[in-house]
Amino acid sequence: MSSIEELKGQLAVVTGAASGLGRGLCSKLGEQGARLVVADVEQKALDSLAADLRSKGVEVTTVLTDVSKRDEVDRLAAIAADIGPVDLLFNNAGVSEAPQPSSGLTEDDWAWVLGVNLMGIVHGTSAFLPAMIERNQGTIVNTASNSALGSVGFVAAYTASKHAIVGFSESVQYELWQRESAVKIVVSLPGAMSTRMADSARNRPAEAEGRKPSEAELAIMTAHISHGISGEQAAEIVLAGVSRGDFYVVTHPEDLDTATRRYEGLMTGRLAPPVAPIATE
């Protein structure tokens, strides 16, 4: 895709579509005339999104999907394939554990966060990439985070998952280059956004036991991210990067300073201090 104007009539699949960046992407894609297949783990939020999009004349199909489950992502891919070839896939679903020392994280914490954030992207790529390679056309956009440019304490699982997404995306793009495929991978690195990420535990499966944030912690985290840009603003930046053919898309230019400090640290063997420590009380 060389320009956003070419979105008209293209088929885009968005996971984690019902809130935050996902909802912003759906709004902007719909404005440009794309047809949408939207996936989320929250049915009511998904229905609300679809109603909003349809009121604006957007062609949209909803699919309730837990991206941590490969069979559900395969079902999503099959439904999308029945509509038409997928031009754009946004692997966007993401969650975060409650801020806490890494030693307090349970196996369920790790399985839940990595299952959604990392394996959700692995599942999406595995399910959609083969058809794109066969057509020699398509773009996959993987949502990481500015947490992949530098790290903070007390969210070890979330941070590890976002670093892994960048490495996975780079590896897949190298494979595509080696096979001389025109399919593209993009990794988005959004900074502070006004989203419901702080309340990720609302979607935590009952079987995935673990500590949920207290009301006080949730208030602190929500207040912090409420000052971020909107999902639609972030979506505009991401889509502009896709249009330019960028591989890395950073929504907040100041985050590049964090990356610079990190790599300067690598050169000297020293860990740079975190830019914005997580508030834990």
Side-chain angles (χ1 to χ4, degrees):
M1 187 175 68
S2 60
S3 69
I4 293 300
E5 286 72 22
E6 294 179 18
L7 281 171
K8 187 172 182 179
Q10 293 207 349
L11 182 62
V13 177
V14 183
T15 70
S19 63
L21 176 58
R23 194 173 187 116
L25 287 166
C26 292
S27 177
K28 294 303 176 182
L29 288 163
E31 286 178 7
Q32 296 295 331
R35 298 171 296 146
L36 298 176
V37 178
V38 297
D40 201 278
V41 76
E42 291 188 273
Q43 186 65 64
K44 288 185 178 179
L46 201 55
D47 292 342
S48 171
L49 169 65
D52 180 53
L53 292 170
R54 287 170 182 149
S55 71
K56 299 172 183 175
V58 180
E59 180 184 330
V60 58
T61 300
T62 64
V63 186
L64 188 67
T65 307
D66 179 347
V67 297
S68 71
K69 295 178 169 57
R70 175 60 192 265
D71 61 335
E72 294 194 20
V73 179
D74 284 343
R75 175 174 172 267
L76 171 65
I79 291 171
D82 284 342
I83 297 170
V86 174
D87 301 290
L88 290 157
L89 167 65
F90 293 86
N91 283 318
N92 175 71
V95 297
S96 179
E97 75 272 27
Q100 60 190 291
S102 58
S103 59
L105 293 172
T106 66
E107 289 295 311
D108 282 341
D109 287 322
W110 283 102
W112 176 53
V113 175
L114 293 182
V116 175
N117 292 3
L118 176 59
M119 294 311 298
I121 284 177
V122 173
H123 294 158
T125 303
S126 298
F128 287 87
L129 184 58
M132 290 184 175
I133 290 175
E134 185 175 349
R135 293 176 62 217
N136 200 34
Q137 181 179 336
T139 300
I140 295 177
V141 183
N142 295 329
T143 300
S145 165
N146 63 351
S147 295
L149 299 174
S151 302
V152 295
F154 298 98
V155 280
Y158 176 82
T159 302
S161 71
K162 296 303 182 178
H163 278 269
I165 289 166
V166 175
F168 173 77
S169 300
E170 291 171 343
S171 183
V172 175
Q173 183 61 75
Y174 286 139
E175 293 173 11
L176 292 167
W177 283 350
Q178 190 165 339
R179 66 195 304 165
E180 299 183 347
S181 173
V183 178
K184 296 179 180 178
I185 305 295
V186 178
V187 58
S188 67
L189 298 145
M193 283 188 294
S194 180
T195 71
R196 297 184 70 189
M197 179 63 74
D199 192 23
S200 293
R202 72 188 189 279
N203 290 327
R204 186 168 180 143
E207 66 271 16
E209 297 181 1
R211 191 179 76 82
K212 295 182 178 181
S214 66
E215 289 187 10
E217 287 173 327
L218 187 57
I220 290 171
M221 292 186 291
T222 300
H224 172 69
I225 62 178
S226 68
H227 298 294
I229 63 176
S230 70
E232 288 200 0
Q233 289 173 309
E236 286 184 353
I237 297 169
V238 171
L239 291 176
V242 173
S243 175
R244 290 190 301 268
D246 294 349
F247 178 81
Y248 304 105
V249 182
V250 177
T251 63
H252 292 58
E254 60 270 26
D255 289 336
L256 294 174
D257 292 336
T258 303
T260 298
R261 292 169 60 248
R262 182 171 187 267
Y263 284 100
E264 286 174 347
L266 283 171
M267 297 298 291
T268 61
R270 297 172 183 268
L271 177 65
V275 174
I278 293 292
T280 58
E281 60 180 34

